Amino acid sequence: MNKYIKIVLAFLSFGALCATTEASIGGYISASDKKKFLSTLVKSFTIELDDISKSYYAAKGYKILNEVVPKAYITEQCAHIKQHYKATANVEVLFNALNTWSLLGCDGKLHTDDTIASINSLLQNEKSTTADIRYATEILTQLKLQIPNPAKVAQLIQAKLKEDDSLASIGQALHAASLLGNAGKFAHDRIEDVIVQADEIDGKLLQWEGGLTVTSLLITGLLRLPGATPFTQVQADKFANYLLTRKTVQTPKGILSLLEAAVALAGSSVSPVSISIIGSSQVPQDKPELRIQVSDVFGQPLKPVPSPVIAQSATRISDDVVVLAKQPLISGKTSTEFVLTLDKLDPGYYRVAINAGSHSATITARILGLLTINSLEIGLTDADGSSAPKLSKLSYPTKLDSALKADSSQHLLVKFSISRPVHQAFLRLSSGKKEIVFLAVPDSNKGYKVEVNVASQLAYTGNFDMELILGDSIITNPIRWTLGVIDVNLGPSDSPAPRSLRGPKPEIKHLFRPAEKRPPEPVSLFFSGLTAAPLLVLLILWAKLGINFGNFTGVAIPFHLGFGSILGLFTLFWLKLDMFKTCALLIPLGMITFLAGHRLLSSIAARQKKTEKADK
């Protein structure tokens, strides 16, 4: 009774804790992800004509990943940027070039007085876009220069947002407003409206329309606003989950967008917490330690480290029984690693709920164990059950001293018991290249049994090697045990010579049904005359009544030609055409005749109405 009370209390405490905890993210940007990012980012260092903009993605990406740019790239890029730098270039190009110059530590000063004048003019030009204003303020801030008249710049941004309030435009405005001091506080009024426009996917992800670039632009812009706390912990986790789904991005610009958004979230007050398994989720029973990592989105230690880190519960998936509750995890080799000891659990699949401070995650672990064979009996029984079976006991891995002699009146019986149930339990009989596999089924005594009807389930006479195969996804020692040999004698009539599976196949002969006897020629001609009789009657009536050509008009010509063509087609079908060719020709002829007939009837009806009016 105490056992059930503990289980109920564990469920209640887990439910109460779930009401006060936040879900965590299930992954992070790992070392292998960073290596893949670097292999793509380095492509941006390739020199292409006078392009001095794209190398910014690589320089900034290397900076975020704390990697050192090779000196050869630094020398090459600095020389290239200096050669092609123009103060009158597009403001985004200037922003990228100046940032690359700074990130690579190039010698000397790149910007000129003309650069500053060009930037200041953009901040006063009513034709400037929000992107122009954002990059201009970024450049001045980077060069440690004062932004002229921040209040006026703020007014210009708000005017531009009235013209273009797209998400991309708002994102650029947020970045610019974050650099204007008190004048940029107007951007706080936009926070709620922007977040409401985020799209939720499956209740787990949040993103904005426009994909990774726009989502990153808005995340970084919102988190840059001084004094703003735009996201709740749940929203931050969902945005982080979205970013983790985009780790497959393969463009330098996309990678930089991903990294910038991840850095912004990791450095915020609602930094997402990653609770994930280190290495494999398979736990061997001889060393039952499940290693858990609690970190930020980059796999780095959290400040402060969430505490306490406990396994709130562990549930066996096969029967939903809670087998562990509120077990603390011990610290591992690093500040992000924690170890959960599962030495008291039987092999199987378990759903483990981990809590790290106010964050929680559910992970699936598989505990592996050894399989032992407790007993095995093998022998032959009479098919009619007239006598008791003669079974021999074997211990693993021994086999029968002599072959079993079986005939068509007997059954082969194998009974065994093992330390735990398995998903795969087979008896394999093989002879040369042929094999027959029988499924072992659980019996009433919690063991397994295989019974083979020698007469009906074995194909031919011969010697068969017997092998017991046991396997499961939760055992570390799958077993293949050779039990011995069975000599099957089914008699000469039941042992057909084996047929070769190779070589030419026997010829397939097919006899078509002979043609049916046709009727005599006079009979055929008689019925042909009957089918032509209506046409003959029509000609006779025309001869007696006469044909009225007075009402014939040019409108009737297409109809009569079409109708005549259909009659001619039927004649050809009768003589030599098949059904498919006839239908293919009949469809266009029928459509033309239908349209021509409709027009003819319309003209006749119009002429009749005209005649009736004239008579009145």
Side-chain angles (χ1 to χ4, degrees):
M1 188 68 179
N2 292 335
K3 176 182 176 182
Y4 294 105
I5 293 175
K6 289 181 180 179
I7 292 174
V8 172
L9 291 175
F11 271 119
L12 292 175
S13 61
F14 178 65
L17 186 62
C18 286
T20 58
T21 58
E22 304 286 355
S24 68
I25 59 176
Y28 60 95
I29 298 175
S30 63
S32 60
D33 294 326
K34 295 175 183 178
K35 184 177 180 180
K36 182 186 66 176
F37 291 160
L38 290 172
S39 65
T40 302
L41 288 171
V42 74
K43 297 176 183 177
S44 290
F45 282 136
T46 305
I47 300 294
E48 292 184 6
L49 300 178
D50 59 348
D51 188 348
I52 61 174
S53 181
K54 66 183 182 64
S55 56
Y56 165 71
Y57 306 128
K60 186 64 179 293
Y62 267 74
K63 178 71 174 178
I64 293 175
L65 296 174
N66 293 320
E67 294 290 333
V68 178
V69 179
K71 291 184 178 180
Y73 288 125
I74 295 176
T75 303
E76 187 180 48
Q77 289 297 323
C78 289
H80 179 67
I81 293 173
K82 188 172 184 179
Q83 179 184 356
H84 296 282
Y85 179 81
K86 295 179 182 178
T88 57
N90 177 276
V91 66
E92 183 178 358
V93 174
L94 293 178
F95 169 79
N96 289 352
L98 290 168
N99 271 278
T100 306
W101 186 268
S102 175
L103 289 166
L104 296 181
C106 300
D107 295 330
K109 185 176 72 170
L110 182 63
H111 67 279
T112 63
D113 292 340
D114 291 338
T115 303
I116 305 303
S118 175
I119 295 301
N120 286 332
S121 65
L122 284 173
L123 297 178
Q124 300 173 7
N125 191 343
E126 294 182 355
K127 294 183 179 180
S128 298
T129 64
T130 52
D132 295 335
I133 299 171
R134 178 262 175 109
Y135 289 122
T137 55
E138 293 271 17
I139 291 172
L140 293 177
T141 302
Q142 179 195 342
L143 298 177
K144 298 181 180 180
L145 298 175
Q146 187 175 2
I147 298 174
N149 200 346
K152 186 175 181 181
V153 175
Q155 291 177 357
L156 181 59
I157 294 174
Q158 294 179 73
K160 289 299 166 185
L161 288 178
K162 291 180 181 179
E163 299 175 5
D164 179 11
D165 63 347
S166 64
L167 290 173
S169 178
I170 294 174
Q172 302 288 7
L174 292 173
H175 280 269
S178 67
L179 303 174
L180 299 179
N182 290 332
K185 288 186 176 181
F186 71 90
H188 287 246
D189 298 334
R190 289 275 184 169
I191 293 177
E192 184 177 353
D193 179 54
V194 171
I195 294 177
V196 167
Q197 296 184 58
D199 299 323
E200 189 170 23
I201 303 172
D202 296 334
K204 300 177 181 178
L205 312 178
L206 272 178
Q207 70 166 79
W208 278 285
E209 184 180 357
L212 179 59
T213 302
V214 173
T215 299
S216 174
L217 181 67
L218 289 168
I219 290 175
T220 52
L222 288 168
L223 292 175
R224 284 184 72 176
L225 292 176
T229 52
F231 305 133
T232 64
Q233 186 66 60
V234 173
Q235 291 170 333
D237 290 343
K238 290 181 179 180
F239 279 120
N241 283 329
Y242 167 72
L243 295 177
L244 293 176
T245 65
R246 298 304 309 273
K247 290 194 297 184
T248 56
V249 63
Q250 296 181 359
T251 63
K253 185 177 181 180
I255 291 173
L256 181 57
S257 296
L258 170 62
L259 293 176
E260 287 181 330
V263 166
L265 286 172
S268 68
S269 60
V270 287
S271 175
V273 175
S274 171
I275 302 177
S276 55
I277 296 175
I278 300 176
S280 175
S281 62
Q282 301 178 10
V283 181
Q285 201 171 26
D286 57 346
K287 190 179 180 181
E289 294 181 348
L290 183 65
R291 298 163 61 219
I292 304 295
Q293 175 167 297
V294 180
S295 66
D296 66 9
V297 72
F298 280 97
Q300 299 300 313
L302 293 158
K303 297 179 181 179
V305 178
S307 179
V309 180
I310 62 172
Q312 185 65 26
S313 67
T315 305
R316 189 165 51 231
I317 294 177
S318 60
D319 53 10
D320 278 340
V321 173
V322 177
V323 295
L324 178 151
K326 291 188 176 181
Q327 178 173 323
L329 277 69
I330 61 176
S331 299
K333 298 177 181 179
T334 65
S335 58
T336 63
E337 182 179 336
F338 296 87
V339 179
L340 174 62
T341 303
L342 300 172
D343 54 345
K344 297 181 181 180
L345 303 187
D346 295 328
Y349 286 89
Y350 294 87
R351 187 168 53 249
V352 184
I354 303 292
N355 286 352
S358 62
H359 299 270
S360 65
T362 301
I363 58 179
T364 300
R366 178 171 59 173
I367 299 180
L368 307 179
L370 294 173
L371 177 68
T372 58
I373 299 177
N374 299 327
S375 64
L376 183 139
E377 294 179 304
I378 182 171
L380 299 172
T381 65
D382 292 332
D384 56 5
S386 59
S387 61
K390 299 177 181 180
L391 302 179
S392 301
K393 294 184 178 181
L394 292 180
S395 298
Y396 180 76
T398 61
K399 61 181 181 179
L400 292 170
D401 296 331
S402 60
L404 296 175
K405 305 290 185 178
D407 56 36
S408 59
S409 66
Q410 294 177 310
H411 288 184
L412 170 64
L413 179 62
V414 180
K415 299 169 65 177
F416 60 93
S417 64
I418 52 181
S419 57
R420 61 178 52 88
V422 294
H423 286 161
Q424 299 174 337
F426 305 109
L427 176 66
R428 176 177 176 266
L429 303 185
S430 61
S431 177
K433 295 183 179 180
K434 294 180 172 56
E435 67 173 16
I436 307 173
V437 178
F438 300 94
L439 176 66
V441 296
D443 61 14
S444 57
N445 297 322
K446 296 184 179 181
Y448 287 84
K449 181 176 72 172
V450 182
E451 189 169 2
V452 180
N453 188 325
V454 175
S456 62
Q457 293 181 285
L458 295 183
Y460 57 91
T461 296
N463 291 333
F464 291 85
D465 293 324
M466 298 180 292
E467 184 180 34
L468 183 66
I469 302 174
L470 302 174
D472 200 291
S473 60
I474 60 172
I475 64 173
T476 56
N477 61 326
I479 293 175
R480 297 190 68 166
W481 180 9
T482 300
L483 303 177
V485 177
I486 179 172
D487 182 6
V488 178
N489 184 9
L490 299 179
S493 60
D494 296 326
S495 55
R499 188 178 68 180
S500 175
L501 298 178
R502 299 185 179 182
K505 301 294 182 183
E507 181 182 358
I508 299 175
K509 296 181 179 180
H510 181 74
L511 179 63
F512 290 94
R513 189 179 68 179
E516 295 181 358
K517 185 178 180 181
R518 301 185 67 179
E521 184 178 351
V523 175
S524 299
L525 292 175
F526 173 73
F527 281 96
S528 298
L530 287 180
T531 57
L535 180 61
L536 181 62
V537 172
L538 176 63
L539 296 175
I540 294 173
L541 291 175
W542 276 353
K544 288 186 171 294
L545 299 176
I547 300 176
N548 183 11
F549 289 101
N551 292 328
F552 189 83
T553 62
V555 178
I557 294 176
F559 170 73
H560 287 86
L561 288 175
F563 183 69
S565 299
I566 293 174
L567 294 178
L569 180 63
F570 287 164
T571 303
L572 292 175
F573 171 62
W574 186 24
L575 296 175
K576 63 178 183 179
L577 294 181
D578 57 31
M579 181 178 65
F580 300 102
K581 292 181 180 179
T582 303
C583 289
L585 295 172
L586 181 60
I587 290 173
L589 287 177
M591 292 178 62
I592 294 172
T593 305
F594 171 77
L595 296 174
H598 183 272
R599 185 180 179 189
L600 175 60
L601 291 175
S602 298
S603 65
I604 293 174
R607 192 164 55 225
Q608 287 179 349
K609 287 183 180 180
K610 187 176 181 181
T611 304
E612 290 175 358
K613 288 182 180 180
D615 293 341
K616 290 180 180 180

